[in-house]
Every structure is written in C-alpha cells, then in structure tokens.
Amino acid sequence: MRNKPLAGRGIVVTRPRELAGALAAAIEKAGGAAVLFPTIVIEDVPPPAALRGLEAYDLAVFVSPTAVQKVMAQVPMWPERLQAAAIGAGSRRELERHGVRGVLAPEEGADSEALLNVPELQRVGGRRVVIFRGGTGRPLLGDGLAARGASVEYADCYRRVLAKTDPAPLLALWRRGGVHAVTVSSSEGLKNFVTLVGAPRLAAIPLFVPHARVAARALEHGAREVVVSGPADAAVLERLVAYFHERD
C-alpha cells in the first residue's frame, strides 16, 4: 500500500531502548513491525569534574544527544560565553531544546570528520576545549583539535555496555521469516549485535548503517548487503522504504 510502504516487513532496531522510540514509531507508521532488540545499555557515571568549572572552557563539544541530556540534567544554566558544538544535527537539536543557541554543527554529515570541517573550528589555537562523551571512542576529533593548537580534555558523562538482551525471541522470529532488515547506529552496536546473535545472521539480511566506516565493519563481520542510510531517523526510514519499494 502506498501509505504503508513497509507493510509486512519486520525491521530490527538495535539502538538503546531509550533512544529507539522515534525510529520504531516511524517504522510502525509506515506499516512495518519494529522489533526492538537493544544491543547497548546506557549507564550513568559520576558527574565529570568539568561540570564544576564550565566557565573555564572556550568550547564544549557533544558527541551525541545522550551526552547533551546527561550534561544538561546537571547544569542549571549554560554559561553565556561558552560556545557549544555538536557532532551532528541530533545533538544540535537537543542542545537547542535545552536553550543553547549558536551551536556549531556540520551542515552535512554527523561524525568527527564533518565537525572538524566546520569553518569556525579551523583556528582554535589557545582555546580550552572539553569533549563530552560516553566512554572511550575514536580519538580523531580530540587529536584534530589539539593539532590545531587547542587544549583538549575529555569528560565521560555516561557509559555504554553490552545489553543483556535475550536473543531467543528474535531468533525465533527470524526462523519464522519475520525479520527483513536490521538497523544499527554505531560500530559498537554492530559488534554487540554480532556478540548476541552471531555473525552468520549478517549474511542473510540487509543491514542499514549510519556511516561508511560502520559499513566496512559490517563487511568484515560477513555482511553481504549493507545500506548506508545516515544517522537521522528520517534518513533511515527513507532508505528502508526505498530499499523495499525496489523489491516489491
């Protein structure tokens, strides 16, 4: 049906449960069945020391909407002089929702490479930068800013751990032919999916990923059909609809 382009399709959503709602709702609205299978759990950590002296920084970078939420839950008022930057549009919107204005973010893309290309970040010599993140990740952003002369600090405001999701119901649905695609939002989410259900599953299903580097990891794990959709919910849905439309 034209207004239900995903009718009859079971789409696995592997995002953390608290972040999966919008994409799941969009899939359901398009007629699909959203199968929630979180592969990452977000856990709280003690407030980072950087929150006690935000005014000392010149730039605060947020790597995800979750980082924004965790920080803003503990910051009653954002320092007026502190410039904020976001990896992508989702983090920028979350900052704006909390009243932060003038957020630096890439016009296109949602990764460290894209943020490093923002014109305002080409000359950061002598500036003090804090990067709010969820545990270890790629060092590219921090290294890139430091190479331009910035003093860079990392502040972990949450951590991501392997979810203890029981794979049995998903695997049973898979055997009944109820799984038609899997969406992942990060390399870590992909790795955890493989841990929970096994790499051979990737060879039997189209996999929708946000970035080319995640696609490369998927191919290393044996995936045969990988679609790079971008990270935004609307982009993922658009690619899902286009993919299955071509096969109807």
Side-chain angles (χ1 to χ4, degrees):
M1 294 183 290
R2 185 172 301 176
N3 62 337
K4 298 291 184 181
L6 294 181
R9 311 290 187 180
I11 314 296
V12 179
V13 179
T14 61
R15 293 178 180 177
R17 192 171 298 277
E18 59 266 46
L19 302 178
L23 179 58
I27 291 169
E28 298 276 350
K29 186 176 181 179
V35 183
L36 298 184
F37 186 77
T39 62
I40 292 174
V41 170
I42 295 174
E43 293 185 344
D44 290 330
V45 297
L51 293 182
R52 296 193 294 271
L54 275 179
E55 297 83 359
Y57 297 96
D58 301 296
L59 176 68
V61 181
F62 293 84
V63 304
S64 68
T66 300
V68 178
Q69 294 163 6
K70 297 298 184 183
V71 168
M72 291 305 177
Q74 302 178 67
V75 176
M77 183 173 295
W78 188 252
E80 187 173 341
R81 67 168 295 275
L82 179 56
Q83 174 73 64
I87 286 284
S91 300
R92 184 193 66 221
R93 286 193 297 269
E94 191 66 21
L95 281 162
E96 292 171 345
R97 191 176 73 83
H98 283 86
V100 182
R101 298 291 175 254
V103 179
L104 301 178
E107 292 295 328
E108 295 183 2
D111 55 20
S112 298
E113 291 87 345
L115 184 58
L116 284 169
N117 284 331
V118 169
E120 293 88 344
L121 296 184
Q122 300 311 301
R123 298 185 179 183
V124 292
R127 302 183 74 187
R128 190 177 177 192
V129 179
V130 58
I131 299 177
F132 290 108
R133 63 181 186 174
T136 58
R138 293 198 304 159
L140 178 66
L141 179 58
D143 289 352
L145 294 173
R148 296 172 185 176
S151 173
V152 179
E153 301 173 34
Y154 290 100
D156 295 336
C157 50
Y158 63 98
R159 65 169 166 250
R160 299 163 300 189
V161 299
L162 174 67
K164 296 180 180 178
T165 308
D166 181 4
L170 175 62
L171 294 176
L173 180 65
W174 212 309
R175 288 191 292 271
R176 297 196 301 269
V179 175
H180 300 88
V182 174
T183 67
V184 299
S185 56
S186 66
S187 295
E188 184 177 8
L190 170 66
K191 180 185 71 173
N192 290 354
F193 182 79
V194 169
T195 297
L196 291 166
V197 306
R201 293 288 172 182
L202 296 182
I205 206 78
L207 186 68
F208 291 75
V209 303
H211 302 294
R213 67 175 181 276
V214 185
R217 296 291 181 273
L219 294 173
E220 291 172 2
H221 283 296
R224 295 181 180 176
E225 193 168 13
V226 184
V227 179
V228 178
S229 63
D233 293 341
V236 177
L237 184 68
E238 180 181 352
R239 294 297 290 162
L240 283 166
V241 169
Y243 177 90
F244 288 111
H245 175 73
E246 292 171 359
R247 286 151 182 80
D248 285 339

